[in-house]
Amino acid sequence: MKGNSQNPAPVYMDHAATTPLAPAVLEAMLPYFGASFGNASSVHHLGRVARGAIENSREKIAAHLHAKPEEIVFTSGATEANNLAFNFLSAGEHLATSSIEHKAVLEPIKTLESSGVQVTRLAPNPETGVLSTDDIAKSLGSSTRLVSVMYVNNETGAVTPLKEISALRDKHDFFLHTDAAQAAAWFPIDVNRLGVDMMSLSAHKMYGPKGIGILYVRDRVQLMPQIFGGSQERGRRGGTENVAAVIGMTAAMDLIANDRDAHASRVTKLRQELQTQLTAAVGDQLVVNTPANAAPHILNVAFKPIDGKPLDGEMLLLNMDLEGVYASAGSACTSGAITPSHVLLGLGVPASTARASLRLSLGRLTGEEDIKATVTCIHKVVKRMQAQRQYEG
Ligand SMILES: Cc1ncc(COP(=O)(O)O)c(C=O)c1O
Protein backbone atom coordinates (compact mmCIF):
# COMPACT_ATOMS: atom_id res chain seq x y z
CA MET A 1 0.00 0.00 0.00
CA LYS A 2 1.30 3.49 -0.83
CA GLY A 3 1.95 6.27 1.70
CA ASN A 4 4.44 9.11 2.10
CA SER A 5 7.34 9.84 4.44
CA GLN A 6 5.17 11.71 6.98
CA ASN A 7 2.29 9.31 6.81
CA PRO A 8 3.33 5.79 6.02
CA ALA A 9 0.34 3.88 4.64
CA PRO A 10 -0.99 1.00 6.70
CA VAL A 11 0.30 -2.40 5.71
CA TYR A 12 -2.59 -4.70 4.84
CA MET A 13 -1.58 -8.29 5.62
CA ASP A 14 -5.12 -9.68 5.85
CA HIS A 15 -6.10 -10.66 2.29
CA ALA A 16 -7.45 -14.01 3.54
CA ALA A 17 -10.05 -12.11 5.59
CA THR A 18 -11.11 -9.99 2.65
CA THR A 19 -9.67 -8.22 -0.37
CA PRO A 20 -10.26 -4.65 -1.54
CA LEU A 21 -12.78 -4.22 -4.33
CA ALA A 22 -10.87 -3.85 -7.61
CA PRO A 23 -11.64 -0.52 -9.36
CA ALA A 24 -12.61 -2.36 -12.58
CA VAL A 25 -15.08 -4.45 -10.56
CA LEU A 26 -16.68 -1.36 -9.05
CA GLU A 27 -16.95 0.20 -12.50
CA ALA A 28 -18.67 -2.90 -13.88
CA MET A 29 -21.17 -2.85 -11.00
CA LEU A 30 -22.10 0.85 -11.05
CA PRO A 31 -24.71 0.80 -13.88
CA TYR A 32 -26.74 -1.74 -11.88
CA PHE A 33 -27.00 0.70 -8.97
CA GLY A 34 -28.16 3.34 -11.45
CA ALA A 35 -30.09 3.23 -14.71
CA SER A 36 -30.10 -0.58 -14.97
CA PHE A 37 -31.94 -1.12 -11.70
CA GLY A 38 -34.55 -3.58 -12.96
CA ASN A 39 -35.77 -6.73 -11.22
CA ALA A 40 -34.61 -9.73 -13.23
CA SER A 41 -38.08 -11.28 -12.87
CA SER A 42 -39.87 -8.33 -14.53
CA VAL A 43 -41.00 -8.92 -18.11
CA HIS A 44 -40.37 -5.38 -19.34
CA HIS A 45 -37.20 -4.00 -20.87
CA LEU A 46 -35.47 -3.16 -17.56
CA GLY A 47 -36.21 -6.63 -16.22
CA ARG A 48 -34.83 -8.21 -19.36
CA VAL A 49 -31.64 -6.15 -19.04
CA ALA A 50 -31.17 -7.45 -15.48
CA ARG A 51 -32.01 -11.05 -16.49
CA GLY A 52 -29.58 -10.83 -19.41
CA ALA A 53 -26.82 -9.55 -17.12
CA ILE A 54 -27.36 -12.39 -14.65
CA GLU A 55 -27.49 -15.16 -17.24
CA ASN A 56 -24.49 -13.75 -19.08
CA SER A 57 -22.61 -13.74 -15.76
CA ARG A 58 -23.68 -17.29 -15.02
CA GLU A 59 -22.26 -18.38 -18.39
CA LYS A 60 -18.98 -16.58 -17.80
CA ILE A 61 -18.55 -17.98 -14.29
CA ALA A 62 -19.41 -21.48 -15.53
CA ALA A 63 -16.78 -21.10 -18.27
CA HIS A 64 -14.15 -20.10 -15.67
CA LEU A 65 -14.92 -23.29 -13.74
CA HIS A 66 -15.41 -25.57 -16.80
CA ALA A 67 -18.98 -26.12 -15.63
CA LYS A 68 -22.42 -25.72 -17.18
CA PRO A 69 -24.33 -22.47 -16.53
CA GLU A 70 -27.26 -24.32 -14.95
CA GLU A 71 -24.83 -25.77 -12.38
CA ILE A 72 -24.12 -22.33 -10.89
CA VAL A 73 -26.30 -21.16 -7.97
CA PHE A 74 -25.75 -17.59 -6.81
CA THR A 75 -25.69 -17.24 -3.02
CA SER A 76 -24.80 -14.55 -0.47
CA GLY A 77 -21.29 -15.98 -0.13
CA ALA A 78 -19.37 -19.12 0.75
CA THR A 79 -21.13 -19.55 4.11
CA GLU A 80 -24.54 -19.84 2.48
CA ALA A 81 -23.10 -22.00 -0.31
CA ASN A 82 -21.63 -24.43 2.25
CA ASN A 83 -24.93 -24.64 4.12
CA LEU A 84 -26.79 -25.31 0.87
CA ALA A 85 -24.33 -28.03 -0.17
CA PHE A 86 -25.33 -30.18 2.80
CA ASN A 87 -29.05 -29.78 2.21
CA PHE A 88 -29.72 -33.25 0.87
CA LEU A 89 -28.42 -35.49 3.65
CA SER A 90 -30.79 -37.54 5.81
CA ALA A 91 -30.50 -39.18 9.22
CA GLY A 92 -28.44 -42.36 9.08
CA GLU A 93 -26.34 -41.23 6.11
CA HIS A 94 -22.61 -40.71 6.56
CA LEU A 95 -20.49 -37.62 5.87
CA ALA A 96 -16.70 -37.43 6.11
CA THR A 97 -15.02 -34.09 6.65
CA SER A 98 -11.93 -32.64 8.29
CA SER A 99 -11.40 -31.14 11.73
CA ILE A 100 -9.77 -28.03 10.18
CA GLU A 101 -12.70 -26.77 8.10
CA HIS A 102 -13.94 -23.19 8.35
CA LYS A 103 -16.78 -22.62 10.83
CA ALA A 104 -19.06 -22.16 7.82
CA VAL A 105 -18.67 -25.92 7.32
CA LEU A 106 -18.14 -27.10 10.91
CA GLU A 107 -21.30 -25.47 12.25
CA PRO A 108 -23.87 -26.69 9.67
CA ILE A 109 -22.34 -30.15 10.03
CA LYS A 110 -22.88 -30.02 13.81
CA THR A 111 -26.56 -29.31 13.12
CA LEU A 112 -26.79 -32.21 10.70
CA GLU A 113 -25.17 -34.46 13.28
CA SER A 114 -27.76 -33.52 15.88
CA SER A 115 -30.45 -34.57 13.40
CA GLY A 116 -28.91 -38.02 12.97
CA VAL A 117 -26.35 -37.72 10.14
CA GLN A 118 -23.23 -39.78 10.95
CA VAL A 119 -20.10 -37.61 10.83
CA THR A 120 -16.39 -38.52 10.69
CA ARG A 121 -13.99 -35.61 11.30
CA LEU A 122 -10.46 -36.33 10.15
CA ALA A 123 -7.40 -34.54 11.50
CA PRO A 124 -4.62 -33.53 9.10
CA ASN A 125 -1.18 -35.08 9.27
CA PRO A 126 0.61 -32.91 11.89
CA GLU A 127 3.88 -33.12 9.91
CA THR A 128 2.47 -31.84 6.62
CA GLY A 129 -0.64 -29.97 7.75
CA VAL A 130 -2.50 -31.76 4.95
CA LEU A 131 -5.38 -34.21 5.09
CA SER A 132 -4.42 -37.78 4.21
CA THR A 133 -6.32 -39.42 1.35
CA ASP A 134 -5.74 -42.82 3.03
CA ASP A 135 -7.50 -41.59 6.17
CA ILE A 136 -10.47 -40.50 4.08
CA ALA A 137 -10.48 -43.86 2.28
CA LYS A 138 -10.60 -45.68 5.63
CA SER A 139 -13.56 -43.59 6.79
CA LEU A 140 -15.74 -44.46 3.78
CA GLY A 141 -18.54 -46.99 4.05
CA SER A 142 -21.69 -48.06 2.28
CA SER A 143 -23.70 -45.24 3.90
CA THR A 144 -21.22 -42.47 2.93
CA ARG A 145 -23.04 -39.90 0.77
CA LEU A 146 -20.71 -36.91 1.02
CA VAL A 147 -17.08 -35.99 1.58
CA SER A 148 -16.63 -32.28 2.31
CA VAL A 149 -13.05 -31.01 2.48
CA MET A 150 -11.79 -27.48 1.96
CA TYR A 151 -9.49 -26.80 -1.00
CA VAL A 152 -7.20 -24.31 0.81
CA ASN A 153 -7.18 -23.93 4.57
CA ASN A 154 -7.95 -20.34 5.54
CA GLU A 155 -5.57 -20.33 8.50
CA THR A 156 -2.47 -22.20 7.30
CA GLY A 157 -2.85 -22.17 3.50
CA ALA A 158 -2.52 -26.00 3.35
CA VAL A 159 -3.82 -27.42 0.07
CA THR A 160 -6.04 -30.53 0.07
CA PRO A 161 -5.31 -33.14 -2.64
CA LEU A 162 -8.84 -33.01 -4.12
CA LYS A 163 -7.99 -34.96 -7.26
CA GLU A 164 -6.63 -37.86 -5.22
CA ILE A 165 -9.71 -37.80 -2.98
CA SER A 166 -12.10 -37.76 -5.91
CA ALA A 167 -10.31 -40.84 -7.30
CA LEU A 168 -11.52 -42.79 -4.25
CA ARG A 169 -14.85 -42.96 -6.06
CA ASP A 170 -13.45 -45.86 -8.07
CA LYS A 171 -14.38 -47.96 -5.03
CA HIS A 172 -17.12 -45.94 -3.25
CA ASP A 173 -19.71 -43.67 -4.77
CA PHE A 174 -20.03 -40.40 -2.85
CA PHE A 175 -20.47 -36.73 -3.64
CA LEU A 176 -17.42 -34.52 -3.14
CA HIS A 177 -17.92 -30.95 -1.91
CA THR A 178 -15.15 -28.43 -1.42
CA ASP A 179 -15.10 -25.00 0.17
CA ALA A 180 -12.77 -23.25 -2.28
CA ALA A 181 -13.18 -19.72 -0.89
CA GLN A 182 -9.41 -19.40 -0.33
CA ALA A 183 -8.37 -21.17 -3.54
CA ALA A 184 -10.03 -19.48 -6.49
CA ALA A 185 -7.82 -16.38 -6.52
CA TRP A 186 -4.71 -18.57 -6.75
CA PHE A 187 -5.45 -21.76 -8.68
CA PRO A 188 -7.21 -22.24 -12.01
CA ILE A 189 -10.34 -24.22 -11.20
CA ASP A 190 -11.63 -27.00 -13.39
CA VAL A 191 -14.41 -28.84 -11.58
CA ASN A 192 -14.05 -31.86 -13.87
CA ARG A 193 -10.30 -32.18 -13.49
CA LEU A 194 -10.66 -31.85 -9.72
CA GLY A 195 -13.58 -34.28 -9.74
CA VAL A 196 -15.74 -32.23 -7.38
CA ASP A 197 -19.55 -32.33 -7.37
CA MET A 198 -20.04 -29.14 -5.40
CA MET A 199 -17.83 -26.13 -4.79
CA SER A 200 -18.37 -22.99 -2.71
CA LEU A 201 -16.81 -19.69 -3.76
CA SER A 202 -16.90 -16.17 -2.35
CA ALA A 203 -16.34 -12.98 -4.36
CA HIS A 204 -14.82 -10.89 -1.57
CA LYS A 205 -11.81 -13.21 -1.32
CA MET A 206 -10.91 -12.32 -4.89
CA TYR A 207 -11.34 -8.54 -5.23
CA GLY A 208 -15.09 -8.72 -5.71
CA PRO A 209 -17.90 -7.40 -3.48
CA LYS A 210 -18.96 -8.87 -0.14
CA GLY A 211 -22.28 -10.68 0.10
CA ILE A 212 -22.07 -12.70 -3.10
CA GLY A 213 -20.77 -16.16 -3.88
CA ILE A 214 -21.76 -19.28 -5.69
CA LEU A 215 -22.33 -22.94 -5.13
CA TYR A 216 -21.33 -25.00 -8.11
CA VAL A 217 -23.64 -28.06 -8.13
CA ARG A 218 -23.05 -30.89 -10.61
CA ASP A 219 -26.35 -31.83 -12.19
CA ARG A 220 -26.33 -35.31 -10.59
CA VAL A 221 -26.77 -33.73 -7.11
CA GLN A 222 -30.38 -33.04 -6.10
CA LEU A 223 -30.35 -30.35 -3.41
CA MET A 224 -33.25 -29.13 -1.30
CA PRO A 225 -33.56 -25.32 -1.25
CA GLN A 226 -32.78 -23.72 2.10
CA ILE A 227 -34.38 -20.37 1.28
CA PHE A 228 -37.96 -20.79 0.13
CA GLY A 229 -39.81 -18.11 -1.77
CA GLY A 230 -39.63 -17.27 -5.45
CA SER A 231 -38.41 -19.68 -8.10
CA GLN A 232 -35.10 -17.89 -8.64
CA GLU A 233 -31.97 -19.99 -9.20
CA ARG A 234 -34.12 -22.85 -10.55
CA GLY A 235 -36.00 -23.04 -7.28
CA ARG A 236 -32.78 -23.63 -5.34
CA ARG A 237 -32.65 -20.16 -3.76
CA GLY A 238 -35.64 -17.87 -3.58
CA GLY A 239 -35.23 -14.08 -3.48
CA THR A 240 -34.69 -11.19 -5.91
CA GLU A 241 -31.22 -11.52 -7.38
CA ASN A 242 -28.52 -9.02 -6.40
CA VAL A 243 -27.66 -8.05 -9.97
CA ALA A 244 -24.82 -5.62 -9.19
CA ALA A 245 -23.14 -8.18 -6.92
CA VAL A 246 -23.47 -10.92 -9.55
CA ILE A 247 -21.84 -8.59 -12.09
CA GLY A 248 -19.13 -7.76 -9.54
CA MET A 249 -18.32 -11.40 -8.87
CA THR A 250 -18.07 -12.07 -12.60
CA ALA A 251 -15.82 -9.05 -13.19
CA ALA A 252 -13.61 -10.19 -10.30
CA MET A 253 -13.27 -13.69 -11.74
CA ASP A 254 -12.45 -12.24 -15.18
CA LEU A 255 -9.83 -10.01 -13.59
CA ILE A 256 -8.03 -12.72 -11.63
CA ALA A 257 -8.08 -15.07 -14.63
CA ASN A 258 -6.04 -12.47 -16.59
CA ASP A 259 -2.83 -12.84 -14.62
CA ARG A 260 -3.47 -15.56 -12.04
CA ASP A 261 -0.22 -17.47 -12.56
CA ALA A 262 2.04 -14.42 -12.67
CA HIS A 263 0.33 -12.99 -9.59
CA ALA A 264 0.57 -16.31 -7.74
CA SER A 265 4.29 -16.63 -8.41
CA ARG A 266 4.95 -13.01 -7.38
CA VAL A 267 3.08 -13.52 -4.10
CA THR A 268 4.70 -16.91 -3.44
CA LYS A 269 8.13 -15.23 -3.64
CA LEU A 270 7.00 -12.44 -1.31
CA ARG A 271 5.62 -14.98 1.15
CA GLN A 272 8.91 -16.91 1.11
CA GLU A 273 10.78 -13.66 1.67
CA LEU A 274 8.50 -12.83 4.59
CA GLN A 275 9.16 -16.22 6.18
CA THR A 276 12.93 -15.91 5.70
CA GLN A 277 13.11 -12.37 7.09
CA LEU A 278 10.81 -13.16 10.01
CA THR A 279 12.76 -16.28 10.96
CA ALA A 280 16.00 -14.26 10.87
CA ALA A 281 14.48 -11.46 12.99
CA VAL A 282 12.66 -13.51 15.62
CA GLY A 283 14.88 -16.60 15.81
CA ASP A 284 14.05 -19.77 17.75
CA GLN A 285 10.88 -18.39 19.30
CA LEU A 286 9.14 -18.51 15.92
CA VAL A 287 7.07 -21.52 14.84
CA VAL A 288 5.93 -21.71 11.19
CA ASN A 289 2.54 -23.42 10.80
CA THR A 290 2.25 -23.03 7.03
CA PRO A 291 3.44 -25.98 4.94
CA ALA A 292 6.07 -25.30 2.25
CA ASN A 293 3.69 -26.12 -0.63
CA ALA A 294 0.80 -24.03 0.70
CA ALA A 295 -1.33 -21.64 -1.35
CA PRO A 296 0.72 -18.50 -2.13
CA HIS A 297 -0.97 -15.99 0.14
CA ILE A 298 -0.88 -17.30 3.71
CA LEU A 299 1.90 -17.40 6.29
CA ASN A 300 0.81 -18.58 9.71
CA VAL A 301 3.36 -18.19 12.47
CA ALA A 302 3.27 -18.51 16.24
CA PHE A 303 5.52 -17.51 19.09
CA LYS A 304 6.69 -20.06 21.65
CA PRO A 305 6.33 -19.20 25.34
CA ILE A 306 9.38 -17.75 27.06
CA ASP A 307 10.22 -19.14 30.53
CA GLY A 308 6.94 -21.07 30.31
CA LYS A 309 4.92 -17.86 29.78
CA PRO A 310 2.96 -17.53 26.53
CA LEU A 311 2.95 -14.29 24.56
CA ASP A 312 -0.48 -12.62 24.56
CA GLY A 313 -1.65 -13.04 20.93
CA GLU A 314 -4.48 -10.47 21.17
CA MET A 315 -2.07 -7.88 22.56
CA LEU A 316 0.38 -8.66 19.77
CA LEU A 317 -2.30 -7.97 17.13
CA LEU A 318 -3.44 -4.78 18.87
CA ASN A 319 0.13 -3.51 19.09
CA MET A 320 0.68 -4.27 15.42
CA ASP A 321 -2.55 -2.44 14.62
CA LEU A 322 -1.24 0.64 16.47
CA GLU A 323 1.90 0.43 14.32
CA GLY A 324 -0.27 0.28 11.18
CA VAL A 325 0.17 -3.39 10.30
CA TYR A 326 -3.14 -5.22 9.90
CA ALA A 327 -3.20 -8.99 10.33
CA SER A 328 -5.35 -11.71 11.91
CA ALA A 329 -5.02 -14.24 14.67
CA GLY A 330 -6.35 -17.57 13.44
CA SER A 331 -9.35 -16.98 11.19
CA ALA A 332 -10.89 -13.50 11.04
CA CYS A 333 -14.32 -14.80 11.95
CA THR A 334 -13.09 -16.12 15.32
CA SER A 335 -10.54 -13.48 16.27
CA GLY A 336 -11.67 -11.61 19.31
CA ALA A 337 -12.30 -14.98 20.94
CA ILE A 338 -9.39 -15.93 23.20
CA THR A 339 -9.71 -19.64 22.54
CA PRO A 340 -6.82 -20.96 20.46
CA SER A 341 -7.50 -21.83 16.85
CA HIS A 342 -9.04 -25.29 16.29
CA VAL A 343 -6.88 -25.58 13.17
CA LEU A 344 -3.59 -25.09 15.00
CA LEU A 345 -4.69 -27.36 17.84
CA GLY A 346 -5.65 -29.93 15.19
CA LEU A 347 -2.07 -29.73 13.89
CA GLY A 348 -0.75 -30.54 17.34
CA VAL A 349 0.47 -26.99 18.13
CA PRO A 350 0.39 -26.60 21.96
CA ALA A 351 -2.43 -24.30 23.15
CA SER A 352 -0.01 -21.79 24.69
CA THR A 353 1.80 -21.36 21.35
CA ALA A 354 -1.42 -21.47 19.28
CA ARG A 355 -2.80 -18.57 21.32
CA ALA A 356 0.16 -16.45 20.20
CA SER A 357 -0.36 -17.03 16.48
CA LEU A 358 -0.55 -14.65 13.56
CA ARG A 359 -2.01 -15.16 10.12
CA LEU A 360 -0.28 -12.87 7.67
CA SER A 361 -1.97 -12.94 4.28
CA LEU A 362 -0.69 -11.32 1.13
CA GLY A 363 -2.29 -10.23 -2.12
CA ARG A 364 -2.43 -7.54 -4.77
CA LEU A 365 -1.75 -4.75 -2.27
CA THR A 366 1.47 -6.39 -1.08
CA GLY A 367 4.90 -5.22 -2.23
CA GLU A 368 8.49 -5.73 -1.05
CA GLU A 369 8.20 -2.67 1.21
CA ASP A 370 5.22 -4.24 3.00
CA ILE A 371 7.24 -7.37 3.78
CA LYS A 372 10.03 -5.26 5.28
CA ALA A 373 7.60 -3.11 7.26
CA THR A 374 5.78 -6.19 8.61
CA VAL A 375 8.98 -7.86 9.78
CA THR A 376 10.26 -4.64 11.38
CA CYS A 377 6.93 -4.14 13.14
CA ILE A 378 6.65 -7.72 14.47
CA HIS A 379 10.24 -7.68 15.65
CA LYS A 380 9.76 -4.37 17.45
CA VAL A 381 6.41 -5.30 19.03
CA VAL A 382 7.53 -8.73 20.21
CA LYS A 383 10.73 -7.30 21.74
CA ARG A 384 8.72 -4.58 23.48
CA MET A 385 6.18 -7.08 24.80
CA GLN A 386 9.01 -9.24 26.08
CA ALA A 387 10.59 -6.27 27.82
CA GLN A 388 7.26 -5.30 29.38
CA ARG A 389 6.51 -8.95 30.18
CA GLN A 390 3.16 -8.71 28.34
CA TYR A 391 2.32 -12.33 28.65
CA GLU A 392 -0.93 -14.05 29.39
CA GLY A 393 -1.85 -15.19 32.86
C1 LIG B 1 -12.53 -21.13 3.76
C2 LIG B 1 -13.64 -20.16 3.98
N1 LIG B 1 -14.91 -20.57 3.87
C3 LIG B 1 -15.94 -19.74 4.04
C4 LIG B 1 -15.74 -18.42 4.34
C5 LIG B 1 -16.94 -17.52 4.51
O1 LIG B 1 -17.17 -16.87 3.30
P1 LIG B 1 -18.28 -15.72 3.17
O2 LIG B 1 -17.71 -14.54 3.89
O3 LIG B 1 -18.41 -15.49 1.70
O4 LIG B 1 -19.53 -16.23 3.75
C6 LIG B 1 -14.44 -17.94 4.48
C7 LIG B 1 -14.20 -16.53 4.87
O5 LIG B 1 -13.67 -16.23 5.91
C8 LIG B 1 -13.36 -18.82 4.28
O6 LIG B 1 -12.10 -18.42 4.39
Side-chain angles (χ1 to χ4, degrees), residues 271-355:
R271 201 258 321 266
Q272 285 161 349
E273 190 54 36
L274 177 61
Q275 182 171 337
T276 306
Q277 288 188 24
L278 209 50
T279 307
V282 177
D284 287 350
Q285 204 197 343
L286 194 79
V287 181
V288 175
N289 300 312
T290 290
N293 58 352
H297 61 310
I298 297 180
L299 180 66
N300 188 312
V301 293
F303 298 85
K304 287 185 206 156
I306 292 186
D307 302 333
K309 292 212 169 196
L311 197 76
D312 183 334
E314 289 293 309
M315 197 58 92
L316 173 61
L317 268 187
L318 289 174
N319 277 306
M320 286 173 64
D321 180 20
L322 290 175
E323 301 278 335
V325 176
Y326 306 154
S328 274
S331 94
C333 309
T334 51
S335 62
I338 307 160
T339 49
S341 140
H342 68 283
V343 174
L344 299 186
L345 294 182
L347 289 174
V349 177
S352 53
T353 304
R355 263 196 212 101

Side-chain angles (χ1 to χ4, degrees), residues 95-328:
L95 148 67
T97 186
S98 83
S99 58
I100 58 164
E101 296 296 309
H102 191 274
K103 295 232 167 194
V105 162
L106 294 176
E107 293 299 318
I109 288 181
K110 258 195 217 160
T111 308
L112 287 172
E113 197 173 24
S114 62
S115 63
V117 172
Q118 308 294 310
V119 180
T120 306
R121 292 177 186 82
L122 299 157
N125 177 330
E127 297 300 313
T128 61
V130 175
L131 212 57
S132 140
T133 306
D134 283 349
D135 287 349
I136 295 182
K138 283 184 207 135
S139 79
L140 302 175
S142 57
S143 62
T144 306
R145 293 290 313 282
L146 182 68
V147 172
S148 177
V149 282
M150 69 204 313
Y151 194 172
V152 168
N153 184 273
N154 54 299
E155 292 194 39
T156 65
V159 181
T160 303
L162 286 175
K163 250 173 94 175
E164 253 179 58
I165 295 168
S166 74
L168 296 175
R169 280 181 303 200
D170 289 350
K171 295 215 177 96
H172 288 274
D173 192 24
F174 57 84
F175 294 132
L176 178 58
H177 165 252
T178 189
D179 175 348
Q182 294 290 346
W186 306 101
F187 303 127
I189 295 200
D190 180 334
V191 289
N192 300 313
R193 222 176 49 78
L194 289 172
V196 295
D197 297 296
M198 289 184 280
M199 174 178 280
S200 307
L201 296 181
S202 176
H204 76 95
K205 308 290 186 185
M206 44 185 169
Y207 309 92
K210 294 167 184 63
I212 181 79
I214 61 137
L215 180 67
Y216 155 75
V217 192
R218 199 175 285 280
D219 45 19
R220 75 184 187 117
V221 188
Q222 295 300 311
L223 291 179
M224 293 282 292
Q226 64 186 352
I227 298 177
F228 297 92
S231 59
Q232 290 91 350
E233 300 302 296
R234 296 173 179 257
R236 291 173 291 194
R237 199 228 188 206
T240 303
E241 297 93 338
N242 186 345
V243 190
V246 165
I247 295 292
M249 176 155 191
T250 312
M253 289 183 77
D254 290 347
L255 196 81
I256 56 168
N258 278 339
D259 66 347
R260 188 191 278 107
D261 292 351
H263 177 54
S265 65
R266 184 184 82 83
V267 171
T268 301
K269 283 196 197 104
L270 287 174
R271 201 258 321 266
Q272 285 161 349
E273 190 54 36
L274 177 61
Q275 182 171 337
T276 306
Q277 288 188 24
L278 209 50
T279 307
V282 177
D284 287 350
Q285 204 197 343
L286 194 79
V287 181
V288 175
N289 300 312
T290 290
N293 58 352
H297 61 310
I298 297 180
L299 180 66
N300 188 312
V301 293
F303 298 85
K304 287 185 206 156
I306 292 186
D307 302 333
K309 292 212 169 196
L311 197 76
D312 183 334
E314 289 293 309
M315 197 58 92
L316 173 61
L317 268 187
L318 289 174
N319 277 306
M320 286 173 64
D321 180 20
L322 290 175
E323 301 278 335
V325 176
Y326 306 154
S328 274

Side-chain angles (χ1 to χ4, degrees), residues 15-143:
H15 287 80
T18 197
T19 53
L21 193 75
V25 172
L26 177 61
E27 204 178 308
M29 292 171 71
L30 284 176
Y32 298 91
F33 291 115
S36 303
F37 65 88
N39 182 328
S41 298
S42 298
V43 293
H44 53 66
H45 173 74
L46 274 181
R48 292 199 305 278
V49 168
R51 171 61 53 210
I54 289 176
E55 297 316 321
N56 185 34
S57 293
R58 199 186 306 279
E59 277 173 28
K60 282 192 181 167
I61 291 178
H64 281 303
L65 305 179
H66 301 262
K68 299 180 205 150
E70 62 273 22
E71 294 173 324
I72 306 298
V73 182
F74 288 109
T75 64
S76 64
T79 301
E80 185 190 325
N82 289 337
N83 277 262
L84 180 59
F86 304 135
N87 219 21
F88 70 98
L89 292 161
S90 316
E93 293 181 329
H94 174 243
L95 148 67
T97 186
S98 83
S99 58
I100 58 164
E101 296 296 309
H102 191 274
K103 295 232 167 194
V105 162
L106 294 176
E107 293 299 318
I109 288 181
K110 258 195 217 160
T111 308
L112 287 172
E113 197 173 24
S114 62
S115 63
V117 172
Q118 308 294 310
V119 180
T120 306
R121 292 177 186 82
L122 299 157
N125 177 330
E127 297 300 313
T128 61
V130 175
L131 212 57
S132 140
T133 306
D134 283 349
D135 287 349
I136 295 182
K138 283 184 207 135
S139 79
L140 302 175
S142 57
S143 62

